[in-house]
Amino acid sequence: MRILLIGEYSRLHNSLKEGLVALGHQVTLVSSGDGLKQFESDFLLISKIKKYKLFRFLNKLSIKFLGVDFIKTEYANQFKKLLPKLSNFDVVQLINEDAIGANPKQSIKLYSQLFKQNKKAFLLCCGEDYTTVNYFLNPENGYSVLSPYLKDKRLKHTFEFSLKYTNKAYKNLHEYVTHNINGIICSDIDYHRAFKDNPKYLGLIPNPINTDLLDFKPIKIEDKINIFHGINSTSSLKKGADFFTEALTIIKSKYANQISITSTVDLPYKKYIKSYDKAHIVLDQVYSYDQGYNALEAMAKGKIIFTGAEKEWLEYYNLKENTVAINALPDVIYLVNTLEWLINNPKQIETISTQANAFIETHHNYKKIAEKYLLTWSKT
């Protein structure tokens, strides 16, 4: 089967590609590398504007006063030139309605040609889009990455990337994509909750993790307990980084002789994945119901992850109790108490480490997940 994957978030499409190739399929990946994460692609969309501080400043002025984002135009023009090479695929999968990074009108025009020259098209939801953002904006649906904004509307500017999906242009893009694809797939519980009643929803397929690339080393606590907190400045509010930072300040004052804390900011993916090798505990996010991609990779390496692990996640994976991750909540005292419990019970860290790795091998192995995609695509 010939498969075309458009867009990349958190290495999901790269891992899926590796699984599909291992099963004997031909796969092409087109993306911008997801910004600072610098993921690999067969065809990489590159912004020259992003490389220069002056150009970035001028582009911001253009967006503010003219409503024109020339970075989006760069991506659109590059993708247009690629279109003749992106034909006769059995399956095309968009990682998001905004998979190219062009403006909505440009995307619709490009998708129109893309869909015409290929057989089937699918939408993967593993991030924010029109449906998820509108779902998250309703506080009755529980907490989400938009909870900080709902609590303080003065943060509107900080959340403008998310809120753009509610405007008319992105609604039009959403309606066009939904009408012209064969089906929608979600990657975890957070997005599944938003799409479960959509008539084109085909179900949840867990994130694929290439466990062959991640070394699992069972934890053995012999000295200090190492805690790692990696911050992405563009998403720190959405992940609740401040809750972790405050909790770590308290923990450090009480257990300075028993712990070691490492914090990083805005590391490219290849540096980030190595930066927590010596960590026992990794702090990920507090506003999710399920694990994000970074958390899953860390679990594969045997780390204890503070992340989303709510009852809906337990029910989906038929787990009677959570023995593979720490369900992080936006509550400093809760985080402090849970960290204290682990520090005072190092054998629990060793046990959870092994079980976390086993969970990833069972439910997120990239080859097993690739098989689930192939089955879903072929049935529709």
Side-chain angles (χ1 to χ4, degrees), residues 45 69-77 79 97-111 164-165 170 173:
L45 305 178
D69 186 337
F70 286 104
I71 293 175
K72 292 182 179 297
T73 301
E74 282 184 297
Y75 289 149
N77 289 339
F79 194 85
E97 292 168 353
D98 188 25
I100 300 170
N103 71 48
K105 285 186 177 180
Q106 291 169 329
S107 291
I108 290 172
K109 188 173 182 180
L110 294 168
Y111 289 157
K164 72 179 182 183
Y165 288 110
Y170 281 95
L173 175 61

Side-chain angles (χ1 to χ4, degrees), residues 100-372:
I100 300 170
N103 71 48
K105 285 186 177 180
Q106 291 169 329
S107 291
I108 290 172
K109 188 173 182 180
L110 294 168
Y111 289 157
S112 177
Q113 183 60 39
L114 181 69
F115 295 158
K116 284 178 184 176
Q117 63 193 36
N118 294 287
K119 295 179 182 177
K120 292 183 179 181
F122 296 85
L123 172 65
L124 176 59
C125 179
C126 60
E128 295 170 327
D129 57 22
Y130 176 83
T131 300
T132 57
V133 168
N134 280 284
Y135 182 85
F136 294 158
L137 284 173
N138 183 349
E140 293 183 5
N141 291 326
Y143 65 74
S144 73
V145 292
L146 296 187
S147 289
Y149 166 72
L150 293 177
K151 292 177 182 177
D152 185 357
K153 295 297 179 63
R154 292 174 298 178
L155 295 172
K156 183 175 181 178
H157 178 72
T158 305
F159 283 83
E160 62 183 2
F161 177 86
S162 303
L163 296 174
K164 72 179 182 183
Y165 288 110
T166 64
N167 70 35
K168 186 176 180 180
Y170 281 95
K171 181 181 180 182
N172 291 341
L173 175 61
H174 157 75
E175 291 175 346
Y176 175 82
V177 171
T178 302
H179 181 72
N180 287 279
I181 55 172
N182 294 78
I184 301 167
I185 299 166
C186 287
S187 63
D188 67 35
I189 297 295
D190 292 88
Y191 309 118
H192 164 79
R193 294 188 304 129
F195 275 94
K196 61 186 179 183
D197 296 324
N198 188 303
K200 284 208 170 179
Y201 184 48
L202 304 176
L204 190 161
I205 301 180
N207 282 299
I209 303 297
N210 189 338
T211 50
D212 294 342
L213 300 178
L214 302 167
D215 293 331
F216 167 59
K217 297 179 181 178
I219 290 177
K220 207 73 177 168
I221 306 295
E222 296 174 344
D223 192 11
K224 290 186 175 183
I225 293 172
N226 300 318
I227 304 173
F228 176 84
H229 185 206
I231 299 172
N232 182 331
S233 59
T234 60
S235 61
S236 61
L237 267 176
K238 293 179 178 180
K239 293 199 170 188
D242 289 349
F243 290 97
F244 288 132
T245 299
E246 190 175 341
L248 287 176
T249 300
I250 296 171
I251 287 293
K252 187 175 181 180
S253 69
K254 298 177 71 174
Y255 297 95
N257 295 326
Q258 294 173 248
I259 64 169
S260 173
I261 298 173
T262 300
S263 296
T264 65
V265 180
D266 292 344
L267 291 181
Y269 172 78
K270 289 184 178 179
K271 289 186 178 179
Y272 173 81
I273 199 75
K274 292 180 180 179
S275 62
Y276 61 80
D277 271 346
K278 295 181 180 180
H280 302 123
I281 298 171
V282 175
L283 308 180
D284 181 44
Q285 58 184 323
V286 303
Y287 290 120
S288 64
Y289 283 61
D290 196 345
Q291 298 91 59
Y293 207 89
N294 289 341
L296 294 170
E297 287 194 321
M299 289 165 67
K301 295 173 79 172
K303 309 305 178 183
I304 312 306
I305 310 301
F306 278 64
T307 186
E310 286 286 358
K311 66 175 184 175
E312 289 86 349
W313 167 78
L314 289 169
E315 290 169 358
Y316 179 82
Y317 289 102
N318 198 27
L319 300 174
K320 293 181 180 179
E321 58 180 337
N322 180 5
T323 58
V324 301
I326 304 297
N327 186 32
L329 299 173
D331 181 330
V332 172
I333 300 304
Y334 165 83
L335 295 174
V336 169
N337 290 341
T338 309
L339 283 166
E340 283 188 317
W341 174 70
L342 290 169
I343 292 167
N344 292 321
N345 295 277
K347 287 296 181 183
Q348 288 291 334
I349 295 177
E350 296 176 8
T351 300
I352 296 171
S353 169
T354 302
Q355 292 171 166
N357 171 264
F359 175 80
I360 300 301
E361 287 288 1
T362 300
H363 297 288
H364 292 275
N365 180 276
Y366 71 119
K367 294 178 186 177
K368 295 178 183 177
I369 297 303
E371 289 175 346
K372 291 186 178 184

